[in-house]
Amino acid sequence: MPSQLNKLPPEIKLDNTTRDGKRLNPAIFLDQLRRWIQNSGNVPISIKFSYMHLSEHDSYEEYCKEMKDIVDLLLTCQHRWHTLKIYVKNFSVVKGLLHAMSNLDNAPQLQEFKLEVDDEKNAKYSAWKAYTTALTLQPKGEHSGYARLTGLELSGSPSTESIMWWIKRAPELKTLDVSTNIEQPEHHQLSPPHVWNLAHVSKLHIFGLKYSHIGPLLAQLRFPVLTDLYVNVGGTELDTSSIVKDLLHCSKPQMLEKLTFCYYQITETTSVLKYLNQCPNLVYLKVAPTTEPILDALAASSGAHPYCPNLEELEISLSGPFPSFEKLQNLVHSRSHDTRFKSLKKLTVPDNLKKPQYRALEKLGLEVAKRKW
């Protein structure tokens, strides 16, 4: 170890996993971390560790003490933080890190901070526990604290309160990624919520299981400059449609350039086409599963307002039978010969497409990519 410390890389990346796959003793990890910090000058520090890679503890109290020692050590070099990715058992042992994050002027080099808390017992009752937060920061922000945040990821069953806590403290957000699968308190639905305008968010990813998990949050948000929207809901078709409807209501659909809908299944195409009709400037589209009626609608040359006339990239996603190859060819051909459409430039298809069909699409002048499902 001493010889290695004399030849430190420009940026420290300390991962506690060992070559033989065995768990690392926390005391050894702490000692290595301390020596690494002491002997590395002022180079930026990138550290990743997970409690799952540390050896078992004799008691919960012992675990808390060891984790607190690690956190306290990290706080001594806050001015050198570049990337911190930490996975712990409960929130209490990392309160100090989040408190330190409230004054980011003390961490001027910080680019990414990710905290994952494995605390299922309290997931439904705390605004802080059992979610992941990955914060992408501007390299040199002029504002202190959370105001410097430009990207925010909240997952692992955060409540509406905890999500809004972060959003209200990050006025410069440009990307927002929210994943939750818990029922939100009923009082959100009883009183009109204060509407929060996310003036800079251009990219939004929403994951959930039911409309009731996401709906109360969307009722409080507006996205005036949104250009990239991703919606993935594992519930019913109605759940997904309701979320998409709310999202288009609280944004400006005509500004959307990239759109992804992931349904569990699609039995009624009308609502999907209604949403697509509101988004005339899309250049990228993925509707999962991609059904034949959707392909027919995208290929149709009749009507005064064709669907997605500016579309350049289409991703075919399946949860059932592959649409007929003739439908796919017809779509590409019609969009190439109808002057109201831009020609498709790229098509992503499942990797089970037969090679002759794959080649036939390429001959139509497309970039064709394969993707595994």
Side-chain angles (χ1 to χ4, degrees):
M1 187 71 177
S3 61
Q4 294 175 353
L5 291 173
N6 292 331
K7 299 178 180 180
L8 289 170
E11 182 179 44
I12 299 171
K13 292 185 178 180
L14 182 59
D15 191 338
N16 55 25
T17 56
T18 57
R19 291 182 180 179
D20 58 6
K22 294 181 180 179
R23 294 190 176 195
L24 191 65
N25 182 285
I28 295 177
F29 173 71
L30 183 64
D31 181 63
Q32 289 180 349
L33 180 60
R34 179 181 295 108
R35 293 164 64 193
W36 212 313
I37 292 172
Q38 291 173 348
N39 289 274
S40 59
N42 288 310
V43 298
I45 294 179
S46 292
I47 297 175
K48 174 183 177 181
F49 72 84
S50 165
Y51 82 92
M52 296 183 70
H53 295 142
L54 299 177
S55 58
E56 297 290 343
H57 303 84
D58 293 334
S59 66
Y60 181 76
E61 290 72 20
E62 181 185 356
Y63 159 78
C64 289
K65 180 183 182 305
E66 290 172 345
M67 293 303 300
K68 183 178 183 303
D69 290 342
I70 292 173
V71 169
D72 288 346
L73 181 57
L74 290 175
L75 291 174
T76 65
C77 58
Q78 186 181 355
H79 63 288
R80 295 169 57 192
W81 290 353
H82 179 272
T83 300
L84 291 181
K85 296 184 178 181
I86 302 169
Y87 184 26
V88 295
K89 277 186 178 180
N90 64 358
F91 171 72
S92 62
V93 298
V94 288
K95 280 184 178 178
L97 281 181
L98 287 177
H99 179 73
M101 291 290 295
S102 66
N103 186 358
L104 292 179
D105 285 346
N106 292 336
Q109 302 185 75
L110 186 62
Q111 297 290 299
E112 186 175 0
F113 172 67
K114 183 172 183 178
L115 169 64
E116 187 166 353
V117 183
D118 186 8
D119 191 352
E120 296 181 1
K121 180 180 178 181
N122 296 298
K124 297 182 180 180
Y125 307 106
S126 171
W128 290 101
K129 295 179 181 179
Y131 69 85
T132 303
T133 175
L135 315 177
T136 306
L137 311 178
Q138 294 175 338
K140 294 182 180 179
E142 296 180 357
H143 307 288
S144 62
Y146 300 106
R148 284 172 49 190
L149 298 180
T150 59
L152 181 61
E153 177 185 331
L154 300 170
S155 63
S157 303
S159 65
T160 294
E161 290 93 342
S162 63
I163 296 170
M164 291 303 300
W165 190 98
W166 284 97
I167 287 175
K168 290 176 181 180
R169 286 159 178 77
E172 300 299 319
L173 278 183
K174 295 180 181 179
T175 64
L176 177 61
D177 193 321
V178 174
S179 177
T180 185
N181 59 2
I182 62 170
E183 297 289 341
Q184 303 300 339
E186 292 183 1
H187 70 267
H188 284 292
Q189 322 232 3
L190 297 179
S191 58
H194 172 74
V195 175
W196 200 262
N197 197 48
L198 295 173
H200 305 289
V201 171
S202 61
K203 184 176 182 179
L204 174 65
H205 284 199
I206 294 289
F207 298 82
L209 292 179
K210 296 180 180 178
Y211 175 74
S212 57
H213 299 160
I214 302 293
L217 173 68
L218 298 182
Q220 302 182 50
L221 302 177
R222 294 294 180 270
F223 303 92
V225 298
L226 192 64
T227 59
D228 185 345
L229 174 60
Y230 182 103
V231 181
N232 189 340
V233 180
T236 66
E237 187 172 352
L238 179 60
D239 283 319
T240 304
S241 291
S242 299
I243 290 174
V244 173
K245 180 181 178 181
D246 282 7
L247 282 167
L248 294 182
H249 174 73
C250 62
S251 63
K252 296 180 179 179
Q254 67 274 17
M255 294 186 64
L256 286 175
E257 297 175 359
K258 297 183 67 176
L259 181 60
T260 299
F261 296 159
C262 293
Y263 287 71
Y264 177 71
Q265 64 178 355
I266 296 178
T267 58
E268 175 55 59
T269 308
T270 305
S271 61
V272 177
L273 297 182
K274 179 180 177 182
Y275 302 144
L276 293 183
N277 200 39
Q278 297 178 51
C279 309
N281 295 311
L282 291 179
V283 295
Y284 169 90
L285 174 65
K286 174 182 176 181
V287 179
T290 309
T291 62
E292 289 192 359
I294 291 174
L295 290 182
D296 287 339
L298 291 174
S301 58
S302 61
H305 302 288
Y307 295 104
C308 309
N310 298 304
L311 195 64
E312 297 180 1
E313 182 175 351
L314 176 64
E315 185 164 340
I316 305 295
S317 179
L318 304 176
S319 63
F322 189 84
S324 73
F325 184 67
E326 289 72 21
K327 299 277 188 183
L328 206 52
Q329 277 186 311
N330 181 51
L331 181 148
V332 175
H333 186 269
S334 67
R335 297 186 76 92
S336 299
H337 291 81
D338 191 321
T339 56
R340 294 174 302 170
F341 291 111
K342 278 189 176 181
S343 295
L344 279 177
K345 296 180 179 179
K346 183 176 180 180
L347 186 65
T348 301
V349 296
D351 65 352
N352 61 354
L353 191 68
K354 295 178 180 179
K355 184 174 290 187
Q357 296 174 331
Y358 183 87
R359 299 303 179 199
L361 291 173
E362 288 186 319
K363 288 180 180 180
L364 294 174
L366 283 174
E367 176 188 350
V368 184
K370 291 183 179 181
R371 180 177 176 180
K372 293 182 178 181
W373 270 265

